[in-house]
Amino acid sequence: MSSDQSSDTSLLHFLNCEALDLNLFRGQSRDFKTGQVYGGQVLGQAIKAAYQTTDGTRGIHSAHAYFLLRGDVDAPIIYEVDRSLDGGSFSSRRVVAIQHGRQIFHLSASFQKHEEGLEYSEKWQPPFELLQQALDKGITEETNFQSEYLDVWYVPHEQATRRDSTQYWFKTKEALPDDLATHHTVLAYISDMGPLEATVEPHSLNAPKLEDRHKKVMLATIDHAIWFHRPFRADDWLFYECRAQSTGNGRGLAYGRIYTKDGTLVASTSQEGLLRIRR
């Protein structure tokens, strides 16, 4: 890790992509002591690169990604953006992430001009009172990449509203600028944390505690999708609930919902990944 990387604790600096040429960008990696690049980093940087090829009047509304190879934490990542379409209302982009001359990830993303229309949002009140109680006691999670960039508080399993899920509150430690691209990039970064963990929840694996169950399985993201429904701020508390949908054939599938404090649904995710018992 270079001295510049290690000394800058800004999440925005970390997720930023340097423009190398037309449609070509470079992002830096960080070693979070996991032995591989965190998937949310690649997803967030790819979305940031795609945003840099739009005119600024269109916001991303959906992204679909495949994780092909494990990323090398000691090497930068090159992002090549294909400007597939710039239509009257929508823009489509395809992003390929490359390390050591090989594709490690690719993303399809769609951007749309804002327009007025029928408005409906699933409403559900997340347990903000539990977060407030934890904050009053000074409790937040302090693990790997989260502690540097994010405030995170996991809802204890016995207090979760649904037992086949993982639930947590999060926000950035730093205040963010107002542009939507920044908040979308940050939300994509955090959205990779939680779905695969939820697929372990239905299985005891002779270990009652979730952290002990994680030691018995290998988890790795295969594909990830995210839909952005309406504006939000990633520097204010958001609630992420991930629910297991299916496990089998060495894979697990989970759906996620992200809400504001008042229960407004701002984004939805789905993720499938490897779920293999360690031998």
Side-chain angles (χ1 to χ4, degrees), residues 9-277:
T9 59
S10 165
L11 178 58
L12 297 186
H13 175 82
F14 172 47
L15 292 177
N16 190 43
C17 288
E18 174 192 3
L20 300 178
D21 203 339
L22 182 67
N23 303 329
L24 202 62
F25 304 87
R26 177 171 57 201
Q28 298 300 323
S29 300
R30 293 292 299 270
D31 185 358
F32 295 116
K33 309 305 179 184
T34 61
Q36 63 188 51
V37 173
Y38 165 58
Q41 171 202 314
V42 189
L43 179 63
Q45 289 178 341
I47 287 176
K48 179 67 173 180
Y51 253 113
Q52 290 178 241
T53 68
T54 64
D55 63 7
T57 67
R58 305 178 183 207
I60 191 170
H61 69 89
S62 68
H64 300 261
Y66 278 91
F67 295 82
L68 308 178
L69 294 172
R70 174 180 296 190
D72 179 359
V73 297
D74 295 318
I77 302 175
I78 302 301
Y79 296 93
E80 185 176 5
V81 182
D82 176 53
R83 305 187 190 213
S84 306
L85 171 73
D86 282 308
S89 299
F90 290 87
S91 292
S92 180
R93 297 291 185 265
R94 187 175 186 272
V95 184
V96 177
I98 301 169
Q99 271 190 326
H100 307 303
R102 303 178 68 188
Q103 293 187 21
I104 66 168
F105 165 97
H106 57 72
L107 168 81
S108 294
S110 182
F111 298 77
Q112 181 188 14
K113 285 184 177 180
H114 175 73
E115 60 182 74
E116 300 297 330
L118 299 175
E119 185 74 20
Y120 167 78
S121 169
E122 175 189 52
K123 295 290 287 187
W124 178 66
Q125 188 56 55
F128 185 69
E129 70 283 356
L130 294 180
L131 170 64
Q132 191 59 60
Q133 292 170 12
L135 293 176
D136 292 342
K137 296 177 182 178
I139 300 174
T140 56
E141 285 289 323
E142 295 291 339
T143 57
N144 54 60
F145 63 91
Q146 302 169 28
S147 61
E148 185 170 355
Y149 298 133
L150 304 166
D151 288 318
V152 178
W153 183 73
Y154 284 91
V155 177
H157 189 65
E158 64 274 7
Q159 294 179 290
T161 56
R162 295 173 175 134
R163 295 301 179 89
D164 60 346
S165 69
T166 57
Q167 302 179 352
Y168 63 92
W169 290 92
F170 71 93
K171 68 176 183 64
T172 60
K173 288 183 179 292
E174 60 185 300
L176 301 177
D178 292 335
D179 63 288
L180 276 177
T182 293
H183 295 270
H184 287 158
T185 300
V186 170
L187 191 67
Y189 171 80
I190 191 62
S191 70
D192 187 43
M193 186 180 71
L196 288 191
E197 285 80 357
T199 64
V200 184
E201 287 284 1
H203 306 284
S204 67
L205 299 173
N206 296 319
K209 293 184 177 180
L210 184 59
E211 56 266 30
D212 293 329
R213 278 178 266 164
H214 282 177
K215 296 175 183 178
K216 299 193 174 199
V217 295
M218 182 179 70
L219 301 173
T221 304
I222 298 174
D223 62 276
H224 184 91
I226 182 168
W227 295 265
F228 300 93
H229 306 307
R230 49 190 50 83
F232 59 89
R233 294 198 66 89
D235 53 3
D236 194 8
W237 287 106
L238 295 170
F239 183 76
Y240 194 11
E241 178 192 51
C242 304
R243 297 186 64 189
Q245 299 296 309
S246 174
T247 66
N249 199 32
R251 304 191 313 274
L253 173 69
Y255 294 158
R257 300 290 184 269
I258 301 175
Y259 300 88
T260 58
K261 289 182 295 187
D262 67 1
T264 300
L265 180 68
V266 295
S268 301
T269 66
S270 66
Q271 186 176 97
E272 185 178 49
L274 294 178
L275 178 61
R276 290 173 173 165
I277 298 175

